[in-house]
Amino acid sequence: MDIRSLRYFLAVAREENMTRAAELLHVTQPTLSKALKGLEEELGKKLFTRKSFSIRLTDEGMLLRDRAEDLVAMADKIEHEFTALDDITGGDLYFGLAESYQIRYLAREISRFKAAYPGLNYHITSGDTEQVTEKLDKGLLDFAVICSELPDPRKYDYITFPEKDRWGAVMSTDHTLSGKDVLTVDDLAGHPLFCSEQSWNREISEWAGDRAGELRLEGSFRLSYNGSMFALEGLGILLTFEHLVDCSEGSGLVFRPLYPVKETGFYLIWSKHQTFTPIAERFLAQVTKSFSEH
């Protein structure tokens, strides 16, 4: 199984059409068909079901797609890393980012760094802490930005962002709790709540303590914006970080901090004993210096 065959496979899986995939890959359709047939023979599994005008993945094909995406991404990353070894003006950096208003600090550093190294190419993937650390552990990222308690020192080195994220509740302006200055477990008990599943099981559970069972999760959202739309329609209260959702006048939403105050740290992390490219080493040195001055 070679990387080229996996690239061919992913193109067909994405386009669901052999002709379009062949055009995008700049190969003939017989060449593409032969490569896919060879892949199926090598794996001993049927990867596609072919219809008159489309191609669909089998269950085995969907499994290969998930694995192939990581393998091809890793191959691209390795190629970029070796290409950049002799490039003193640029290279590639790969980031996985959790949600926080503090991303502005990272964006500022990337902007400064790109001005000094105009050949820099940076690649961003977003997700919650679990999603981005999974990609970091697979070697698909150089750095991940996570919100959590202290990162596991057995697995990661890290830099702490200048601030912490404050937890609170986002609700419609006409909600019965919108007039309160802060919200407690007593206030939230009995109301339908929205939160990411990860944060519900960690930060919110820790904040509520032995009263966590009194809180009811109505639905889980990985993206705060989506949760805020449900809150806007009066379907419940979104528990999230401050500044992630527009709660300005006229938005129809308000943010109220939790009490006792609950804050979560934000960290730039990388795998322990990771070998960096020259451009990644320079970026890390800049961020370390800049964050230490805040």
Side-chain angles (χ1 to χ4, degrees), residues 10-208:
L10 288 174
V12 174
R14 182 173 57 251
E15 296 300 319
E16 297 184 343
N17 182 281
M18 192 75 72
T19 302
R20 287 200 301 270
E23 290 173 352
L24 288 171
L25 293 166
H26 304 293
V27 299
T28 65
Q29 190 166 327
T31 297
L32 183 56
S33 297
K34 182 179 178 181
L36 295 181
K37 184 178 179 181
L39 197 55
E40 288 183 321
E41 290 176 351
E42 184 178 356
L43 294 172
K45 298 292 182 182
K46 191 174 181 64
L47 301 175
F48 298 96
T49 56
R50 293 164 174 83
K51 298 185 178 180
S52 300
F53 300 102
S54 66
I55 296 176
R56 297 295 174 87
L57 290 174
T58 62
D59 290 343
E60 293 82 1
M62 287 188 278
L63 175 62
L64 179 61
R65 179 192 58 194
D66 294 342
R67 301 293 185 266
E69 286 174 344
D70 285 345
L71 288 170
V72 170
M74 176 59 75
D76 289 340
K77 187 171 185 294
I78 291 171
E79 182 179 333
H80 292 153
E81 285 176 344
F82 274 83
T83 301
L85 287 176
D86 297 321
D87 185 358
I88 62 172
T89 64
D92 290 78
L93 291 176
Y94 295 80
F95 299 91
L97 309 180
E99 271 194 308
S100 169
Y101 80 101
Q102 291 196 77
I103 288 297
R104 61 180 180 166
Y105 289 114
L106 182 70
R108 187 179 303 161
E109 294 306 320
I110 291 175
S111 178
R112 289 179 53 216
F113 197 70
K114 192 166 177 62
Y117 299 95
L120 171 70
N121 296 303
Y122 58 92
H123 310 267
I124 304 294
T125 183
S126 296
D128 61 22
T129 292
E130 183 179 357
Q131 289 173 315
V132 298
T133 51
E134 179 183 358
K135 289 184 178 293
L136 182 67
D137 293 343
K138 288 180 177 179
L140 301 174
L141 304 174
D142 296 308
F143 303 100
V145 177
I146 65 170
C147 46
S148 69
E149 302 302 324
L150 283 175
D152 186 347
R154 298 168 299 177
K155 296 178 63 176
Y156 308 113
D157 289 320
Y158 62 91
I159 300 171
T160 304
F161 272 68
E163 302 176 39
K164 288 189 174 184
D165 284 277
R166 182 169 67 157
W167 281 92
V170 172
M171 69 200 83
S172 64
T173 53
D174 57 1
H175 195 282
T176 55
L177 297 178
S178 64
K180 299 182 73 71
D181 293 328
V182 296
L183 296 179
T184 66
V185 174
D186 282 333
D187 295 321
L188 296 176
H191 289 277
L193 304 175
F194 303 122
C195 188
S196 75
E197 187 173 354
Q198 175 183 295
S199 296
W200 180 263
N201 292 327
R202 295 181 185 177
E203 287 89 350
I204 299 304
S205 178
E206 181 184 87
W207 172 72

Side-chain angles (χ1 to χ4, degrees), residues 223-244:
L223 300 176
S224 292
Y225 178 81
N226 289 350
S228 73
M229 293 298 99
F230 280 65
L232 184 63
E233 293 301 322
L235 291 169
I237 299 170
L238 173 66
L239 303 181
T240 188
F241 292 147
E242 190 174 12
H243 305 302
L244 284 185

